[in-house]
Amino acid sequence: MSARAFAPGAGAAALPADRLENKLLDLKPTYAEGEAIAEANRCLYCHDAPCVTACPTGIDIPGFIRKIATGNVRGSARRILSANLLGYSCARVCPVEVLCVGACVYNDWHRTPPIQIGRLQRYAVETVLDRGAATTLLTAAKPTGKKVACVGAGPASLAAAGYLALEGVAVTVFERRAIAGGLNTTGVAPYKMHVSGSLAEVEFIRSLGVTIATGVEVGKDRTPADLLREFDAVFLGPGLGGDARLGIPGEDGAGVIGATAWIERLKLEPGFALAGVTRALVIGGGNTAIDAAREMARLGVADVGIVYRRSAAGMPGYAHEMEAARKEGVRLIERAVPAEFVRGAGGKLTALRLADGRELGADIVVLGIGQAKLAALATQFPGVAVDAKGLIVVDEATGRTGNRKVFAAGDALGGELVVTAVQEGKRAARAICAVLGVAVRADAPMRAGHV
Amino acid sequence: MADLSIDFAGIRSPNPFWLASAPPTNTGDQVMRAFDMGWGGAVWKTLGDPIVDTSSRFGSLDVNGARMVGFNNIELITDRPLELNLREIREVKRKYPDRAVIVSLMVESKEDWRDIVKASVDTGCDGLELNFGCPHGMCERGMGSAVGQEPEVLKTVAGWAVEYSTVPVLIKLTPNIGDILEAGVPAVEAGAKGLSLINTIKSLIGVDLDKFVPYPVVGGRSTNGGYCGPAVKPIALHMVAALARDPRITVPISGIGGIATWRDAAEFIALGATSVQVCTAAMHYGFRIVEDMIDGLSAYLDGKGMTSVRELEGRAIPAFTEWGDLDLHYKVVAHVDPEKCIGCNLCYVACRDTAVHCIHNAGDALAPGHAASTRTAAIAEAAHRSKSVTGRAKDAHVVWVDESECIGCNLCASVCPVPDCITIVDETNGAPFESWNDRIARGTNKVPGGLADFRKLQTRRV
C-alpha cells in the first residue's frame, strides 16, 4: 500500500508498526498520473483482446485502460471492479506474466514490451479508493430479504459476499481469525502487497453492505446446522489448513517452520525478526516456497537455498518467479530429497541431511510443500462431498455442492490464484441468486466478465 | 550529393529550409544560432509598431500522448523597438551573406508602409514578406488576416509595399478563406514576387473543463489564436498545390504548415513549393532539426537520381487532378501478412463497424465463390510457427481479407499498428482507364437506384 490515505479501516489502523514486512518495499510502486496515462496510451485497444480471454475473471482490459488514457479513472475502476470485486489485490498479486500481460499482442511483435496491465489496474482502483469514492462506485439493489452466510473471509468469500450484497442479499462472512482477508492478508509476499493493502480491500467489500464477523469459527462457535437454519444459502470459502509436514526425523523443534506460518509471522507478528539466521533453506518447488525464499533473501539472509526433489524443469512454481529469486541470490538445490534434520547441542538445528547423504547447513528450514485440506469442516454440511485429495466436489458451472443450499469456491476446490477464487466466488454468487430467486439487475456487476 | 540551393525570385539560399516569421526569429541572436546550425534562410518576426503580449500565449493539441500534434498561439507581432530589430537584421545579413534574410512586415497606413519598407530594405535584407495572415489580435486592428481576406484591400496594400520596395516582395497568405486563389491571384496581380502559405488557422485549441475557459488561459479569459503544427500539413499542402497548378500563379511559392522533417519538405516541394518555412517543429525540438532535414533531403534526391532540389519542384502537380478525372476502374485490395499480424483485430473492428466487413478471423468461413487474398492455410501455418512463449496461439486472431468484398479503401492499412503488415495491392488487371468525366462525356454516367428510378417506382405503385 502506498503512503497515501487509503481508507485504512479499523484493522489496518491496529497493525503493529514493527512488523518485519515493513522492511520489504514495493517492487512495482504505484504509477503517478502521468506515468499511468503514458502507459495507457501505449495500449493498442485491441478488439476481442487476448488479454481479456487470459484474465480468469474476464475484465475488459482495453476498456479500462482507455478510460485511464482519457482521464476517466472512476469509470476505469468501475469497469475493473464490476468484473472483479477484488481487482485491487489481483492487480498486485496476479501472476500477470502468465495471464493478461503474457497474452498482450505486443509479445508477438517484439517491438515494445507488453502493456503493464497489473500496474494500470492498481493505479485505477487505488486512485478511486484513495479518494474515498469507492462506496458510491457500484450501486446496490434494494434489499431482497434473502440471507447468505459465507465461511471464511478470503478472496473467494469476499467476492461472493460483495456480489451478493450488491444484489440486495444480506451477507454475513464468518472468519475464524481476528483479521479478514485470508491469504491476501496473511500470505502475500510483502514486496507485492502489504497487509494494509488487503485490509483496505476488505473495507471496500464491507462498504458494499457485507457484514464480516471475525473471530467466529464455523464448526466450533457456530455449527453448520446453525448456518443452514439461519441462512437461505451457505457459501464455503474456507481455503486450506496448516502447512504440510515431511514426517522425517528431527522435524519437531525450533528452526523448522511451515511456509505459510512463517510468512504470516513475517507479515503480522509484532517484533518478529530473523536474529542469527544466515543460512536458510526452503523445501518445495511451488510458488509459496519461492516466495518464502525471496523474502529471506530480500531480508538479508546471506545464504538462501530452495531444496527441490526433482530438477528445475519439474517445479510447479512459475519460471519468472524462480528467475527473480535467482537474481536476488537464491540458489536452487535440485534432486534433493530431505531425509533428516540434524540438530546439535541443545537441539539447535544445524543442517538438513538429504537421502543421498549430502548435508546442507541451515539455521532455519521452511517447509513449503503444500497445505492440509479442510475436508472435515466441509463434510459437516450434509450432502457436501470431498474427493480423494480432500477437495470439495462442486458442479463446474455453478459451484454448487451436493447440498442444494451450499456452494463452494477458492483454494478448497484446488485453485491456487486469488483471481480464480474471485471468478469462482462470482460464479457461485450468480448461482445463489438463481437458486434463491433473486432478480439480478441487467447491469449488475456480477454479470460482468467471463461466464 | 544533390544541390539543395534555390533561387526564389532572385533570393538565393543554400538550401530550401527557412525559419518562418515567428518566435524562433525574434532576435538576431536566435537567427544567427539557427544559421550556424544550417538553416538556409529566416523570415524575421513581423516588424511594425511594437505590441504588448499576454502572459500565457501558447496551447498544444496532444493526441494519445503525442505532444504538439497541433499548436496554437495568441502571440502578436514583435514587441521590440523597430530600431533594434533593424540593427540586428543588418548585422545578421552582413555576417551571413549567403543566407536568405527576409523581413516580415505589418503596418496600417500607406505612409507607414512607405517608411517601414524603406527602412527594412536599407538593412540589406534579401526580401520582404507582407504578413496578411495573422488571424488573432492584429486582424482586430485592421491588419493581418483582415487584409488577406479581402482581395481588393490585399491588392491595394500590397501595391504600396511593392511600390516602395527595391527587393522582392513576398505575400504571406491566410488560409482563413474559402478558396486560396481568391487571395493568391490578386497578390500576384499586385506585383508580389512570391507567395508564402499558409499562415495559421483561426482556432480555439481546447477548453479548461474545470474553469470553463478556453486555452490558453489568460486570467479568467481566452481568445482565438492561430493554429499550426503537424496537424495542419494536409490543409497547407492542398493550398500550396492549388496555387501551384494554376497558370495565373506565376511566382514561386514558399510552403508553410506542419513541416517538421525532410519528408514533409519534399512533399511541399513536389507540390510546387520552392522553399519551405518551419516554425512549430523548431519550437518543439530546437534549431538542430535542420541537420536531418538537409541530410535526409539530399539522400532522398540522390536515391531518386536528381542532381538538384529544383528537379523535385512540382513533380506531383500533374497527378493532382479533380475527382472527376480519376480512374474508376482502378482496383486495389488489402493484403494481410499473417507472419506480421499480431492479432490486435483493429482492422477487423474498423472494417466491420465502419467499412464493408471484408476482414475476418482465421476460423471464419469464406463465402462461396469468394476469393481470399490471404489464404487460411497459410495463416494456420504461420500461426503455428508464431506460437508465443506464453503458449498463446494467436491463430484465432490472425485476420484475412475477403478480396471479393474489399473496396480498397485503405482504412485497415491506416489503423494497423504493425508496419508493412497490411499492404494495398493493385488488382486492376489491365482494365481500361475511364473517369467520371469520361462517362459524362459519353452519357453513361447514370447510376441505377437514384431519385429518377425512385420516382418511377413510386408512380408504378400508385
Side-chain angles (χ1 to χ4, degrees):
Chain A
M1 184 54 37
S2 71
R4 301 188 286 176
F6 184 120
L15 286 176
D18 58 348
R19 296 171 301 119
L20 194 53
E21 82 159 353
N22 288 337
K23 291 190 173 163
L24 293 170
L25 300 179
D26 215 342
L27 277 183
K28 291 179 181 171
T30 192
Y31 279 137
E33 183 185 9
E35 293 172 313
I37 291 173
E39 182 65 9
N41 273 320
R42 287 207 309 123
C43 176
L44 290 173
Y45 195 38
C46 294
H47 167 76
D48 190 14
C51 54
V52 180
T53 309
C55 173
T57 58
I59 295 173
D60 173 13
I61 293 166
F64 92 70
I65 291 178
R66 185 166 177 84
K67 287 171 187 291
I68 291 174
T70 67
N72 181 10
V73 183
R74 195 176 153 81
S76 180
R78 183 187 292 117
R79 187 58 62 92
I80 294 162
L81 293 170
S82 295
N84 182 340
L85 281 178
L86 272 63
Y88 180 67
S89 56
C90 286
R92 303 194 61 178
V93 309
C94 262
V96 292
E97 294 85 348
V98 297
L99 297 174
C100 52
V101 174
C104 177
V105 296
Y106 278 146
N107 291 297
D108 285 310
W109 193 358
H110 310 295
R111 187 203 76 150
T112 177
I115 301 297
Q116 296 296 298
I117 298 165
R119 297 186 73 175
L120 287 170
Q121 182 168 318
R122 173 182 177 180
Y123 166 79
V125 181
E126 193 166 304
T127 301
V128 169
L129 294 190
D130 264 356
R131 289 179 191 156
T135 49
T136 57
L137 199 64
L138 304 171
T139 53
K142 291 196 186 95
T144 59
K146 300 294 182 186
K147 290 160 62 184
V148 171
C150 293
V151 179
S157 269
L158 292 175
Y163 282 115
L164 288 168
L166 284 168
E167 296 317 297
V169 176
V171 187
T172 305
V173 176
F174 296 101
E175 168 59 50
R176 66 181 174 88
R177 292 172 189 273
I179 192 164
L183 278 174
N184 264 354
T185 298
T186 64
V188 171
Y191 44 81
K192 291 179 182 164
M193 183 170 73
H194 282 195
V195 175
S196 50
S198 172
L199 295 184
E201 187 166 70
V202 169
E203 291 312 306
F204 165 65
I205 296 295
R206 208 194 294 271
S207 78
L208 302 177
V210 174
T211 301
I212 301 174
T214 52
V216 180
E217 185 169 351
V218 173
K220 204 170 98 187
D221 304 314
R222 303 293 295 273
T223 66
D226 291 340
L227 266 48
L228 289 169
R229 189 175 60 251
E230 292 171 28
F231 294 89
D232 297 302
V234 175
F235 173 89
L236 299 177
L240 297 172
D243 293 293
R245 292 166 57 81
L246 283 164
I248 58 174
E251 193 166 3
D252 293 325
V256 179
I257 184 170
T260 63
W262 185 79
I263 294 171
E264 182 172 345
R265 292 183 71 186
L266 163 78
K267 290 178 73 74
L268 287 162
E269 187 175 304
F272 182 63
L274 283 174
V277 174
T278 59
R279 301 169 305 167
L281 292 174
V282 181
I283 300 175
N287 290 313
T288 305
I290 300 173
D291 274 359
R294 290 188 66 186
E295 286 154 10
M296 291 276 189
R298 297 187 80 86
L299 284 168
V301 176
D303 183 9
V304 182
I306 290 178
V307 176
Y308 183 55
R309 61 200 161 116
R310 289 188 281 261
S311 69
M315 288 177 77
Y318 295 119
H320 66 265
E321 287 286 344
M322 189 58 225
E323 186 53 31
R326 282 183 200 277
K327 285 176 180 161
E328 287 157 2
V330 174
R331 65 198 171 98
L332 177 64
I333 302 147
E334 298 170 88
R335 296 182 189 81
V337 180
E340 182 185 357
F341 292 96
V342 182
R343 294 181 181 275
K348 187 184 181 306
L349 181 73
T350 58
L352 172 69
R353 186 172 298 137
L354 302 178
D356 59 12
R358 278 184 288 170
E359 207 163 278
L360 307 169
D363 304 312
I364 186 172
V365 175
V366 175
L367 303 176
I369 54 170
Q371 288 169 263
K373 309 299 186 292
L374 294 172
L377 169 66
T379 51
Q380 286 177 45
F381 288 84
V384 177
V386 295
D387 66 11
K389 292 177 183 168
L391 302 171
I392 301 173
V393 178
V394 297
D395 170 53
E396 271 291 315
T398 60
R400 198 201 285 195
T401 66
N403 183 323
R404 68 178 299 275
K405 282 181 69 177
V406 181
F407 298 75
D411 287 1
L413 307 189
E416 291 181 333
L417 302 176
V418 175
V419 69
T420 51
V422 172
Q423 178 64 9
E424 289 168 10
K426 184 169 70 178
R427 178 184 68 182
R430 291 168 177 162
I432 289 169
C433 284
V435 165
L436 300 187
V438 171
V440 177
R441 296 167 295 167
D443 60 348
M446 71 163 63
R447 292 186 188 272
H450 291 323
V451 173
Chain B
M1 201 172 125
D3 177 15
L4 294 188
S5 71
I6 58 164
D7 181 332
F8 187 107
I11 300 170
R12 289 174 184 281
S13 165
N15 62 53
F17 304 115
W18 298 353
L19 283 170
S21 172
T25 58
N26 195 37
T27 66
D29 193 46
Q30 288 169 287
V31 174
M32 288 191 283
R33 183 160 58 250
F35 284 170
D36 287 342
M37 291 190 177
W39 290 89
V43 185
W44 211 272
K45 184 163 169 79
T46 305
L47 308 188
D49 284 324
I51 52 73
V52 178
D53 268 317
T54 58
S55 176
S56 176
R57 52 186 95 156
F58 300 140
S60 168
L61 176 74
D62 303 338
V63 178
N64 290 350
R67 296 290 201 172
M68 279 172 68
V69 171
F71 198 60
N72 159 287
N73 84 89
I74 60 167
E75 188 173 291
L76 304 181
I77 64 172
T78 187
D79 60 356
R80 308 169 82 223
L82 186 57
E83 191 276 330
L84 176 62
N85 273 317
L86 292 170
R87 180 152 34 94
E88 290 182 0
I89 292 166
R90 183 188 305 275
E91 185 190 350
V92 167
K93 184 61 202 175
R94 188 176 53 78
K95 281 191 181 165
Y96 298 85
D98 66 324
R99 309 302 169 94
V101 177
I102 294 159
V103 181
S104 173
L105 299 175
M106 183 198 290
V107 287
E108 248 189 302
S109 69
K110 183 174 184 184
E111 190 182 26
D112 286 352
W113 278 106
R114 180 194 66 206
D115 293 347
I116 205 164
V117 164
K118 287 189 169 170
S120 300
V121 171
D122 273 351
T123 61
C125 70
D126 300 290
L128 304 178
E129 184 184 86
L130 312 187
N131 181 342
F132 290 170
C134 181
H136 48 93
M138 304 311 292
C139 52
E140 295 162 20
R141 305 175 192 185
M143 294 179 276
S145 62
V147 176
Q149 286 170 326
E150 294 294 336
E152 284 309 312
V153 180
L154 181 155
K155 211 166 165 178
T156 304
V157 178
W160 299 337
V162 168
E163 180 185 339
Y164 297 120
S165 178
T166 55
V167 296
V169 171
L170 286 62
I171 295 180
K172 186 165 177 178
L173 301 177
T174 176
N176 301 295
I177 187 168
D179 178 352
I180 197 65
L181 286 161
E182 289 178 10
V185 172
V188 174
E189 287 169 357
K193 293 288 184 286
L195 300 176
S196 313
L197 73 162
I198 58 174
N199 205 312
T200 55
I201 302 168
K202 199 169 224 178
S203 61
L204 285 177
I205 195 76
V207 179
D208 183 324
L209 287 175
D210 295 317
K211 295 177 180 165
F212 300 107
V213 181
Y215 293 115
V217 175
V218 181
R221 296 177 177 180
S222 187
T223 188
N224 66 276
Y227 185 54
C228 55
V232 312
K233 190 182 94 172
I235 298 165
L237 281 176
H238 168 254
M239 290 189 166
V240 165
L243 292 177
R245 72 173 176 178
D246 193 288
R248 291 167 292 176
I249 306 300
T250 53
V251 299
I253 295 168
S254 188
I256 313 170
I259 296 163
T261 67
W262 67 265
R263 194 176 281 277
D264 298 327
E267 289 174 16
F268 272 86
I269 294 167
L271 284 174
T274 301
S275 74
V276 295
Q277 298 185 28
V278 176
C279 169
T280 310
M283 291 180 75
H284 196 164
Y285 300 111
F287 295 141
R288 62 199 163 126
I289 57 169
V290 76
E291 188 276 333
D292 184 65
M293 297 180 95
I294 294 168
D295 191 37
L297 184 62
S298 298
Y300 167 75
L301 295 171
D302 290 347
K304 291 288 171 198
M306 297 188 206
T307 55
S308 164
V309 67
R310 296 168 211 203
E311 289 178 51
L312 177 62
E313 196 175 308
R315 282 288 279 263
I317 284 292
F320 173 41
T321 71
E322 300 305 327
W323 189 93
D325 291 327
L326 300 176
D327 184 3
L328 297 173
H329 295 311
Y330 180 64
K331 163 81 175 163
V332 293
V333 295
H335 275 215
V336 178
D337 182 343
E339 298 264 14
K340 293 199 171 96
C341 177
I342 58 172
C344 70
N345 257 331
L346 287 175
C347 58
Y348 172 88
V349 73
C351 187
R352 185 196 70 184
D353 289 357
T354 67
V356 296
H357 198 171
C358 70
I359 297 181
H360 305 277
N361 283 145
D364 301 342
L366 184 65
H370 286 208
S373 69
T374 317
R375 304 291 161 198
T376 37
I379 296 169
E381 193 199 342
H384 179 71
R385 274 201 303 278
S386 64
K387 209 166 176 157
S388 72
V389 283
T390 57
R392 183 181 77 82
K394 64 173 192 174
D395 52 347
H397 283 82
V398 171
V399 299
W400 54 273
V401 178
D402 182 340
E403 207 173 296
S404 318
E405 295 288 329
C406 180
I407 56 171
C409 71
N410 292 347
L411 176 63
C412 55
S414 301
V415 302
C416 179
V418 183
D420 304 325
C421 176
I422 300 183
T423 45
I424 303 298
V425 181
D426 186 347
E427 300 273 347
T428 306
N429 291 330
F433 181 99
E434 187 193 25
S435 70
W436 181 249
N437 289 340
D438 290 339
R439 287 192 187 177
I440 290 174
R442 291 178 198 135
T444 56
N445 59 317
K446 184 179 180 302
V447 181
L451 271 172
D453 289 346
F454 180 72
R455 287 189 195 107
K456 270 184 214 162
L457 278 175
Q458 298 291 95
T459 317
R460 216 171 291 155
R461 269 183 206 139
V462 172

